[in-house]
Amino acid sequence: MRVMDIVGGTSVDGPGLRTSIYFAGCTHHCPGCHNPESWDAAAGRDMTIDEIVAEVIENDFDVTFTGGDPMFQCSELLELAKRIDALGKTIWCYTGYSYESVAADSRMSALLPYIEVLVDGRFMEDLRDVKLLFRGSSNQRLIDVKKSTRDTPVIWDESF
């Protein structure tokens, strides 16, 4: 997998302290993106699942997949998500795709059973709002994947 960075102990990518894994690759190219260097799928470095899991274990926090767009490596991420889930860690995942698009795609939807919250939608600079919790623009949603059905996304309760 191509990883830009792994940051342990961050509090901006979900509730509590988290280990955020920044994956390389994104073709959404959202104007105003806070991480445009992650658009290049060849950026960062190759890491094995074992190497990533070792950092997750060392940090001992819940996990966030971000990027770039993790869904560009969704097939490779499936085994990683299973391993993180087996550690008892929750996973949040940011994507420029809508929940409905992820749920309808067999490769991307395979990750959903391992994700607690999917932060969906492209960043839209004209809808940017720094007061929003865990997202950059008001079109983005915090989807409680465990409570959602394939056709009906449920918004995560922000009163955590």
Side-chain angles (χ1 to χ4, degrees):
M1 286 177 277
R2 294 298 294 186
V3 176
M4 297 287 301
D5 198 8
I6 298 177
V7 178
T10 183
S11 61
V12 297
D13 296 325
L17 294 177
R18 309 186 71 79
T19 296
S20 288
I21 306 167
Y22 292 81
F23 293 97
C26 183
T27 59
H28 300 306
H29 297 182
C30 302
C33 173
H34 77 281
N35 201 8
E37 60 276 4
S38 68
W39 296 351
D40 181 359
R45 66 187 194 274
D46 283 320
M47 290 186 74
T48 66
I49 291 172
D50 288 340
E51 290 171 326
I52 297 169
V53 168
E55 289 204 37
V56 168
I57 290 169
E58 181 180 327
N59 291 326
D60 199 27
F61 302 122
D62 288 325
V63 175
T64 298
F65 293 164
T66 189
D69 191 324
M71 291 299 171
F72 283 87
Q73 298 186 60
C74 62
S75 296
E76 295 86 349
L77 287 180
L78 183 56
E79 184 59 32
L80 176 61
K82 289 177 183 179
R83 299 259 310 266
I84 291 170
D85 182 68
L87 294 171
K89 305 295 181 196
T90 65
I91 301 171
W92 277 43
C93 183
Y94 284 77
T95 183
Y97 294 106
S98 69
Y99 172 81
E100 293 82 357
S101 294
V102 172
D105 182 278
S106 61
R107 289 181 342 108
M108 290 191 288
S109 66
L111 279 171
L112 291 178
Y114 306 98
I115 295 172
E116 178 184 29
V117 171
L118 185 76
V119 184
D120 80 336
R122 293 178 183 210
F123 171 75
M124 300 181 91
E125 195 168 24
D126 59 328
L127 298 177
R128 180 177 184 261
D129 185 346
V130 297
K131 296 176 190 159
L132 293 171
L133 187 62
F134 306 131
R135 59 199 185 277
S137 57
S138 60
N139 63 298
Q140 295 173 309
R141 303 176 295 177
L142 303 173
I143 305 297
D144 187 327
V145 177
K146 304 297 186 202
K147 293 181 180 175
S148 300
T149 65
R150 182 174 185 238
D151 299 320
T152 308
V154 174
I155 301 301
W156 178 72
D157 179 6
E158 294 184 17
S159 65
F160 69 97

